Amino acid sequence: MKFISVAIDGPVGAGKSTAARECAKRLGFVYCDTGALYRAVGLYCVRNGIDPKNPSGCTERIKVEISLIDGVQHVFLNGEDVSEDIRLPEISMAASAVSAAAEVRKALLGIQRDIAANNNVVMDGRDIGTVVLPNADVKVFLTAKPEIRAKRRYDELVKKGVETTFEEVLRDLNERDYNDSHRAEAPLKQAEDAVLADTSELDFEQSVELICRIVNNVRERRNVL
Ligand code: DC
């Protein structure tokens, strides 16, 4: 059986994960947040005093797994559910650093491809349309202006009770975007055949509708899905 895959890539805070999760729900697809995998490796480095910029040998000592519990993605690091711990701001930066390592990217590639090989999936990340699933049925590159993305991320963190400032969030976001798009291995970039979607002026519902519309347009056009 051929499963359908929807690849959603884009920079930090473009609304990928929230919009992709809701789209998956509406389409009846599995949602896979690939950033969580890199975050788990980043968490391992932070916890064990390993420089995330040099995680050499790390992947031999860790097992990262994803599983769906009541339709919600959980991430396990050596058997421990770390779904909450990976969301801290310092882990975001560590995740961005480890994600530049070829060894880490190679170790996580199979997990992502396996999910797409066995499910109808909406998968979000940085290199899904370019590297992980180059033959994805639908590719969307989701973005928004940096200040708008930083404001969204800032509001999210404040809601969770994390102490931070807008300036700090904007600085981190710009740094992560720079790292993610300038690394040698699978840098963040729009796939040639991806549809560009700018959510700067859109609210959550409008972003979800836009992505679902893109998916449905491609499905109709190709008449295969
Ligand atoms: O989407 P996120 O913010 O949770 O991702 C955390 C980091 O992981 C991000 O800064 C870059 C990296 N990442 C990646 O390199 N490739 C992916 N497919 C997903 C995330």
Side-chain angles (χ1 to χ4, degrees):
M1 169 171 181
K2 159 95 174 75
F3 290 100
I4 302 164
S5 50
V6 178
I8 302 190
D9 290 303
V12 179
K16 291 187 305 289
S17 51
T18 43
R21 186 181 299 115
E22 179 58 25
C23 281
K25 199 167 144 195
R26 291 187 193 179
L27 295 163
F29 288 12
V30 163
Y31 166 61
C32 177
D33 161 17
T34 63
L37 298 167
Y38 293 91
R39 285 172 178 272
V41 180
L43 178 69
Y44 179 85
C45 289
V46 170
R47 280 182 176 175
N48 292 282
I50 298 165
D51 178 2
K53 289 198 180 105
N54 185 17
S56 169
C58 208
T59 53
E60 286 154 27
R61 298 192 292 280
I62 61 180
K63 191 170 179 205
V64 179
E65 292 159 296
I66 282 186
S67 76
L68 283 180
I69 303 176
D70 293 333
V72 178
Q73 175 180 300
H74 286 248
V75 184
F76 294 84
L77 173 63
N78 290 338
E80 176 195 348
D81 188 343
V82 293
S83 310
E84 289 287 320
D85 296 13
I86 58 170
R87 296 293 154 201
L88 296 169
E90 65 262 34
I91 306 305
S92 305
M93 207 51 91
S96 181
V98 296
S99 71
E103 173 192 323
V104 172
R105 304 205 71 84
K106 195 167 158 225
L108 300 179
L109 190 60
I111 304 176
Q112 300 167 76
R113 287 189 174 157
D114 273 358
I115 293 170
N118 295 299
N119 299 278
N120 290 324
V121 72
V122 177
M123 189 173 280
D124 85 49
R126 303 291 187 288
D127 62 336
I128 310 305
T130 50
V131 175
V132 179
L133 306 175
N135 297 321
D137 300 286
V138 182
K139 297 182 188 179
V140 179
F141 193 83
L142 203 68
T143 190
K145 294 190 185 85
E147 288 72 18
I148 291 180
R149 294 189 279 116
K151 175 75 173 66
R152 289 176 186 160
R153 186 44 62 99
Y154 172 72
D155 289 346
E156 233 173 71
L157 291 170
V158 168
K159 224 171 163 178
K160 280 191 194 163
V162 176
E163 249 182 67
T164 186
T165 62
F166 172 76
E167 288 69 30
E168 197 177 359
V169 174
L170 179 62
R171 200 186 52 232
D172 280 7
L173 178 138
N174 283 330
E175 192 179 330
R176 272 218 285 155
D177 280 354
Y178 185 87
N179 290 346
D180 295 347
S181 46
H182 286 82
R183 64 182 180 224
E185 296 291 328
L188 164 68
K189 67 171 182 210
Q190 184 180 343
E192 273 175 22
D193 49 352
V195 178
L196 178 67
D198 188 321
T199 66
S200 298
E201 310 290 332
L202 307 182
D203 64 19
F204 172 69
E205 180 55 32
Q206 289 168 324
S207 302
V208 172
E209 277 172 14
L210 176 64
I211 300 173
C212 286
R213 207 175 321 127
I214 294 169
V215 173
N216 288 329
N217 280 347
V218 175
R219 292 169 92 173
E220 272 167 32
R221 227 181 24 239
R222 298 215 188 135
N223 200 22
V224 287
L225 310 173

